[in-house]
Amino acid sequence: MTTARDTVLGRVRDALALAPAGETAVPRAYRTGRTLPDGERLALFTDRLVDYKALVHPCTADRTAEVIAGVLRERGAARVGVPPGLDTGWLAAYDGEVRQDSADIPAPRLDVLDGVVTASAVSCAETGTIFLDGSPDQGRRALSLVPDLHVCVVDLSTVEVGVPEAVARLVPERPTTLISGPSATSDIELERVEGVHGPRTLAVVIRTDV
């Protein structure tokens, strides 16, 4: 008796037999090299983030700690996690408990955190997307997904106009997490539900002079 699995695999083998031999070159003629002045790039990025229901806090680098502390205080975050390589000065104005993450901590235990603070690798203004690459100041993927609040620091100098420009700045071998607003999905009646697959709240601190 032929099973559905046998049928599917047979069709795959037939398709492979008909495919041309050797590797096929894939055209990569993406539109690249686009730039915008800082003010326009910031405005576009902010507009996209707000559209995704993220909280946006532009500031100068010397106010980083003050703004982060204000966000955490406003959201009632008494205990936050940080990746091991995060600049400790960014939490200097925060009076709550700070816990440094490590790979030895099981992901379910991260649920005791009220929030997490991370840096970022690069961002795309056109899509409002933030890229994390697992660097020491960004941490492992679980750290940015389990807590209900993610405070992400973005330097304006790392914000590119489009996706091709942003991807070109990434290291392909590094694990990449793409963030476009807080985690959200819709049920069968298209009712928006936030916090299902990640943080319910995303606060983006954009350092405009870095």
Side-chain angles (χ1 to χ4, degrees):
M1 177 182 293
T2 302
T3 65
R5 179 177 181 275
D6 294 332
T7 301
V8 171
L9 291 177
R11 290 177 180 176
V12 171
R13 283 191 290 269
D14 292 343
L16 291 174
L18 295 173
E23 296 183 359
T24 301
V26 179
R28 304 289 185 184
Y30 305 122
R31 181 174 57 177
T32 58
R34 288 175 295 167
T35 60
L36 284 174
D38 285 355
E40 293 182 31
R41 205 166 70 257
L42 174 62
L44 178 61
F45 186 44
T46 300
D47 176 75
R48 297 297 191 266
L49 288 170
V50 170
D51 190 51
Y52 282 133
K53 301 187 183 302
L55 307 175
V56 183
H57 302 271
C59 70
T60 52
D62 61 343
R63 296 188 59 236
T64 304
E66 173 191 345
V67 173
I68 289 176
V71 172
L72 295 174
R73 190 178 305 114
E74 180 182 350
R75 308 304 301 187
R79 183 187 299 113
V80 301
V82 298
L86 192 76
D87 185 342
T88 57
W90 289 2
L91 277 301
Y94 174 62
D95 55 6
E97 180 184 351
V98 178
R99 294 189 178 183
Q100 186 178 106
D101 186 41
S102 90
D104 298 329
I105 300 175
R109 285 179 54 190
L110 297 174
D111 195 43
V112 302
L113 301 173
D114 299 314
V116 57
V117 180
T118 75
S120 58
V122 65
S123 298
C124 173
E126 199 169 59
T127 63
T129 303
I130 301 169
F131 298 73
L132 308 184
D133 68 0
S135 292
D137 59 356
Q138 296 155 56
R140 55 179 173 154
R141 182 169 296 171
L143 181 63
S144 61
L145 292 179
V146 177
D148 201 45
L149 166 67
H150 182 189
V151 180
C152 188
V153 179
V154 173
D155 293 341
L156 184 58
S157 62
T158 67
V159 179
E160 295 288 346
V161 175
V163 172
E165 292 87 357
V167 171
R169 295 182 60 163
L170 295 170
V171 179
E173 293 77 19
R174 299 197 64 84
T176 304
T177 301
L178 280 64
I179 302 171
S180 295
S183 170
T185 188
S186 297
D187 63 17
I188 195 170
E189 296 181 350
L190 300 183
E191 292 290 335
R192 180 182 171 94
V193 180
E194 297 177 349
V196 177
H197 309 296
R200 192 187 316 271
T201 304
L202 172 66
V204 184
V205 177
I206 306 175
R207 306 202 301 171
T208 56
D209 58 342
V210 180

